[in-house]
């Protein structure tokens, strides 16, 4: 049994990490969040110590490290706002623990270089949740693409709309300096997935970008990709709205829909199993996706020109 600490215990994604820790038969011993709305912990680890101040949390983790080997924290799960991930991973490594960090790993590619140095200094490791890399449908598609012998590239459309209410833009997620913007906050794992399946990125064009939606074109070794992301309910297709749903997720490859909507709730469990077996995705596996979203964040949108996603017409 390994000892875990968690930073960002009141966050949206934190319960999936708690469940993964419990499912893999490990123990959450300490948690931190400035927000004390963390009653969910009782469903998983009611005996976990909880802190609302980083300084007290830091002192507690250090005391556990110095007490004895069985009490020290082995992993720190990081579910904090995106702009804090870099600092919290450094804290984990310097506390003689490995880090398990939610997406996006960092906001800028050069942050990866700094973390590589801290890994080298401490001998500890950063692991990240790239859950689509372990999704059975995505793994199957990657194997199919890798086995092909063809000169032409696949034509791919990626559409992801996950509706959010008015609260979204009032939270840290609506602040591009803290979240990285819409493409980083809700899209980084999709860009990683595209790189994972279709190879090295060759071209990155941005057609549209605002607070609630973004669209562009990516070209990889084995695919041409039109993509559209949004948190605005108005973009959800009418037939989906009529079913009472607020989320629309679609990937088509050469016109054929790839079904990967199911199984998302278990992917954190599987990711933790891989990490605990020493097969977690590290810093370098994140580099292409972080470079992709960094470029999207800083590029000047071209508008509806060239090869653009059909939703852009809306």
């Amino acid at each position: 049994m390994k000892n875990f600490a968690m930073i960002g215990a009141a966050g949206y994604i934190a319960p999936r990490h708690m469940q993964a820790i419990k499912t893999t038969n490990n123990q959450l011993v300490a948690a931190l969040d400035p927000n004390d709305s963390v009653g969910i912990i009782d469903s998983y680890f009611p005996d976990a110590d909880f802190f609302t101040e980083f300084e007290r949390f830091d002192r507690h983790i250090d005391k556990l490290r110095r007490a004895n080997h069985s009490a020290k924290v082995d992993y720190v799960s990081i579910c904090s706002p995106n702009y804090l991930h870099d600092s919290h991973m450094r804290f984990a490594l310097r506390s003689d623990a490995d880090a398990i960090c939610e997406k996006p790993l960092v906001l800028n590619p050069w942050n990866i270089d700094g973390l590589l140095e801290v890994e080298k200094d401490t001998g500890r490791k950063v692991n990240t949740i790239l859950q689509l890399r372990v999704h059975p449908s995505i793994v199957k598609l990657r194997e199919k693409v890798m086995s092909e012998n063809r000169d032409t590239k696949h034509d791919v459309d990626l559409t992801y709309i996950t509706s959010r209410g008015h609260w979204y833009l009032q939270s840290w997620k609506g602040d591009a300096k803290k979240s990285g913007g819409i493409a980083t906050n809700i899209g980084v794992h999709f860009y990683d997935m595209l790189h994972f399946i279709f190879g090295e990125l060759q071209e990155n064009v941005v057609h549209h970008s605002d607070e609630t939606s973004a669209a562009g074109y990516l070209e990889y070794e084995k695919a041409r990709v039109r993509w559209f992301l949004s948190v605005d309910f108005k973009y959800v297709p009418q037939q989906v709205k009529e079913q009472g749903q607020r989320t629309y997720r679609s990937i088509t490859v050469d016109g054929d829909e790839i079904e990967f909507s199911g199984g998302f709730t278990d992917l954190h469990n599987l990711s933790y199993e891989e990490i605990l077996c020493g097969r977690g995705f590290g810093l370098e596996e994140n580099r292409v996706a972080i470079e992709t979203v960094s470029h999207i964040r800083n590029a000047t949108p071209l508008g509806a020109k060239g090869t653009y996603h059909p939703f852009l017409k809306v």
Side-chain angles (χ1 to χ4, degrees):
M1 181 179 290
K2 299 293 185 181
N3 291 330
F4 280 75
M6 179 176 291
I7 301 177
Y12 165 79
I13 205 67
R16 292 193 188 178
H17 286 260
M18 294 179 197
Q19 182 185 44
I21 294 168
K22 191 173 184 66
T23 300
T24 53
N25 297 312
N26 295 293
Q27 184 71 22
L28 181 68
V29 298
L32 166 71
D33 202 293
N35 188 327
D36 60 9
S37 298
V38 290
I40 188 67
I41 294 177
D42 290 348
S43 300
Y44 298 99
F45 302 101
D47 294 327
D49 291 308
F50 176 68
F51 302 85
T52 58
E53 297 175 336
F54 178 80
E55 292 79 7
R56 293 185 175 183
F57 176 75
D58 177 15
R59 180 176 62 187
H60 182 71
I61 298 302
D62 188 57
K63 286 172 65 177
L64 293 178
R65 182 177 66 85
R66 295 173 184 277
N68 58 70
H69 181 72
S70 62
K72 80 174 282 290
V73 168
D74 301 295
Y75 292 91
V76 178
S77 297
I78 298 166
C79 307
S80 51
N82 300 349
Y83 72 108
L84 297 175
H85 288 178
D86 185 18
S87 176
H88 290 159
M89 283 184 283
R90 291 167 182 265
F91 164 77
L93 299 178
R94 289 171 177 155
S95 298
D96 196 26
D98 289 348
I100 300 178
C101 189
E102 257 300 335
K103 65 167 185 68
L105 184 75
V106 289
L107 297 184
N108 301 293
W110 52 85
N111 298 136
I112 294 176
D113 298 327
L115 286 164
L116 285 168
E117 292 182 8
V118 182
E119 274 192 336
K120 184 178 179 181
D121 291 342
T122 61
R124 309 306 301 189
K125 184 177 187 241
V126 169
N127 301 277
T128 187
I129 302 294
L130 298 176
Q131 69 267 39
L132 292 181
R133 290 196 181 205
V134 296
H135 192 295
S137 297
I138 301 304
V139 172
K140 183 178 179 180
L141 176 59
R142 181 176 190 262
E143 291 173 349
K144 177 179 179 294
V145 170
M146 291 183 67
S147 67
E148 292 173 341
N149 183 15
R150 53 181 284 170
D151 297 327
T152 58
K153 298 187 179 187
H154 293 280
D155 289 311
V156 179
D157 277 358
L158 165 65
T159 312
Y160 181 50
I161 304 161
T162 177
S163 303
R164 296 289 186 263
H166 296 298
W167 64 268
Y168 184 89
L169 292 180
Q170 302 306 314
S171 73
W172 63 266
K173 296 180 180 183
D175 185 344
K177 292 181 179 178
K178 295 182 176 181
S179 70
I182 197 73
T184 304
N185 197 44
I186 72 168
V188 67
H189 58 311
F190 288 113
Y191 302 123
D192 176 74
M193 175 200 70
L194 292 167
H195 161 60
F196 179 64
I197 297 171
F198 297 111
E200 291 303 311
L201 178 62
Q202 298 175 335
E203 186 176 3
N204 186 347
V205 175
V206 179
H207 294 117
H208 171 76
S209 181
D210 62 26
E211 290 181 319
T212 61
S213 60
Y217 171 80
L218 296 164
E219 188 159 339
Y220 296 87
E221 288 179 73
K222 299 184 178 182
R224 295 180 292 265
V225 182
R226 302 184 300 181
W227 60 269
F228 182 90
L229 307 172
S230 184
V231 294
D232 194 331
F233 180 66
K234 73 181 181 183
Y235 291 112
V236 175
Q238 186 59 36
Q239 66 270 25
V240 177
K241 292 179 180 177
E242 291 172 356
Q243 297 171 7
Q245 299 180 20
R246 294 179 56 83
T247 297
Y248 177 69
R249 182 187 295 114
S250 172
I251 294 180
T252 62
V253 179
D254 300 325
D256 295 326
E257 186 78 29
I258 304 300
E259 177 52 51
F260 72 113
S261 296
F264 268 76
T265 56
D266 297 327
L267 294 181
H268 277 72
N269 296 348
L270 185 53
S271 296
Y272 266 68
E273 290 173 5
E274 291 294 297
I275 290 168
L276 288 162
C277 290
R279 297 190 295 267
F281 299 115
L283 291 168
E284 286 296 351
E285 279 94 340
N286 285 263
R287 188 177 293 276
V288 172
I290 298 303
E291 289 175 343
T292 302
V293 294
S294 177
H295 175 84
I296 291 170
R297 185 185 317 125
N298 294 295
T300 300
L302 298 181
K305 299 178 181 178
T307 306
Y308 60 88
H309 193 286
F311 271 47
L312 197 57
K313 295 178 182 179
V314 177

